[in-house]
Amino acid sequence: MTKRKILFLGESYRADAITWMNGLREFGNFEISIWELQTPNDSFSNRILRSLEFLFAPFSIRKKIHKEKPDMVIAERSTSYGFLAAISGIQPTAIAQQGKTDLWPEDSMSIPFKKILQNYAFKKATLIHAWGPIMAEHMKNSNVDMHKVLILPKGIDLEKFENKNNSDSNKTKAIVTRSLLTEYRHEAILQAFFILNQKGIDFSLSIVGDGNKLEYLKDLAKKLQIEDKVTFTGRIPNSKLPELLQQSNIYISMPITEGVSASLFEAMACGCYPIVSDIPGNQNWIRHHENGQLITIDDSEMLADEILWAFENPTIRNKVVLDNRHFVEKHANYNINMKIIANKYHELIDFYQKRQNKPLRN
């Protein structure tokens, strides 16, 4: 396959971004360079500096484009890096909406401004990635030309996330693999296990990842007197995650908003029974008491009841686990989906190079 150059605009440390770039290298023979904002978004003063950096970003990006001459630009988040890709002057350009809308937080005063950036990015992009139906629905409602939209998740590596579950079926061994941030509602999860503990239900709970709520959640586990049954692993290499999932029998995720969760696919692939929040991004994949359970946001009592229901119905749970593995193999296979995406990029590059009468690279 012809060697092509891609410039990626986005946060290169994120697991989703790594999956995207690695898939393009593996299945598309792409050489990828990266441009990303350098100022962290972790304080008010840094947010101001980051905004200033964003303001001058087009000059820095165009300088990089002039030097490296990429064949294509791709970017994540339609309201930030996606907008920068749209004004880069390069075609083709592919942008990916990361969340349900990318217009977040919903009560932010900057939403009207973000809508302007997003609409411009949608208009100028050659290809728009909707990693799942919930994203495509927002795009349709935003009057996007849906001929430009590719509705397909990147998928997960099924050779890495194997169904080799070896958890103890006689004990609830739950795992949470979402960032320790407010929107993922770890407090509600801890409260649910407090309720189970009060009922004398034996369990272990692994909370994987890092975030600004880590110390607060550790303190809450102590306050609820369940700290001896809760393990906070901190951030771990992605290579270690399959083993932790395979040692668990229930996966829990309680976000208040969701686009397409690779974490959910990973858990389903590894034989974990999914219990997730009842929001549109999860409803696309999970049907209550059919292939998992959907929980009202912040309802710890309901979550505790449904964890107990899942534990008390092992026959149903075991059937769900097998069915979910087949579902992921069919719809979220990284080897298949990333080949489709990589081939699409090559088609777009060929089209634009022919239109501009550029010689095709060998």
Side-chain angles (χ1 to χ4, degrees), residues 290-309:
E290 290 185 30
N291 71 328
Q293 284 152 260
L294 295 169
I295 310 299
T296 303
I297 292 173
D298 290 333
D299 192 336
S300 298
E301 291 188 5
M302 180 183 181
L303 176 56
D305 289 342
E306 293 295 338
I307 293 170
L308 188 57
W309 184 92

Side-chain angles (χ1 to χ4, degrees), residues 63-309:
K63 184 178 179 180
K64 191 174 182 71
I65 288 172
H66 179 74
K67 179 182 178 181
E68 299 185 2
K69 295 179 173 56
D71 298 293
M72 182 175 183
V73 175
I74 66 173
E76 60 179 8
R77 292 205 177 91
S78 56
T79 56
S80 54
Y81 291 107
F83 172 77
L84 293 175
I87 63 173
S88 68
I90 294 290
Q91 289 287 5
T93 297
I95 66 172
Q97 183 172 298
Q98 290 303 111
K100 182 177 71 172
T101 68
D102 276 352
L103 301 174
W104 183 261
E106 293 178 342
D107 58 353
S108 172
M109 293 178 62
S110 65
I111 290 297
F113 177 63
K114 287 183 177 181
K115 283 184 178 179
I116 294 172
L117 299 183
Q118 183 180 74
N119 288 339
Y120 186 86
F122 282 157
K123 182 179 179 180
K124 294 296 183 180
T126 315
L127 177 70
I128 304 171
H129 286 289
W131 304 127
I134 188 67
M135 299 169 174
E137 182 179 339
H138 165 71
M139 294 170 189
K140 187 175 182 180
N141 292 336
S142 300
N143 296 317
V144 171
D145 178 0
M146 297 305 289
H147 292 98
K148 299 197 298 185
V149 178
L150 177 61
I151 307 171
L152 186 72
K154 293 183 291 294
I156 61 168
D157 188 343
L158 295 173
E159 293 180 2
K160 180 189 298 181
F161 292 94
E162 297 179 89
N163 187 11
K164 290 185 175 179
N165 200 287
N166 57 10
S167 63
D168 182 359
S169 60
N170 296 315
K171 176 181 178 180
T172 295
K173 300 189 69 176
I175 188 168
V176 183
T177 62
R178 310 307 299 269
S179 297
L180 276 56
L181 303 174
T182 301
E183 57 263 35
Y184 292 110
R185 295 301 201 259
H186 290 78
E187 300 98 319
I189 297 172
L190 290 175
Q191 291 284 353
F193 279 97
F194 166 73
I195 293 170
L196 292 176
N197 195 52
Q198 292 289 95
K199 293 181 178 181
I201 306 299
D202 192 21
F203 68 86
S204 66
L205 172 63
S206 295
I207 297 180
V208 180
D210 199 1
N212 57 27
K213 302 278 287 186
L214 177 58
E215 294 306 318
Y216 167 77
L217 293 171
K218 286 182 176 180
D219 290 341
L220 180 59
K222 290 180 181 179
K223 181 180 178 181
L224 297 175
Q225 298 182 345
I226 57 173
E227 73 273 18
D228 59 329
K229 296 184 177 182
V230 180
T231 301
F232 292 89
T233 69
R235 183 173 296 176
I236 63 168
N238 195 252
S239 59
K240 299 291 184 182
L241 184 56
E243 181 181 353
L244 290 178
L245 288 168
Q246 290 158 1
Q247 293 170 357
S248 308
N249 50 30
I250 291 179
Y251 166 81
I252 301 175
S253 178
M254 292 289 121
I256 59 175
T257 185
E258 189 73 276
V260 172
S261 174
S263 299
L264 174 59
F265 291 152
E266 290 164 354
M268 292 166 73
C270 288
C272 293
Y273 182 88
I275 302 179
V276 297
S277 51
D278 190 5
I279 57 176
N282 287 327
Q283 293 162 4
N284 284 325
W285 316 109
I286 301 299
R287 297 169 306 283
H288 191 57
H289 283 185
E290 290 185 30
N291 71 328
Q293 284 152 260
L294 295 169
I295 310 299
T296 303
I297 292 173
D298 290 333
D299 192 336
S300 298
E301 291 188 5
M302 180 183 181
L303 176 56
D305 289 342
E306 293 295 338
I307 293 170
L308 188 57
W309 184 92

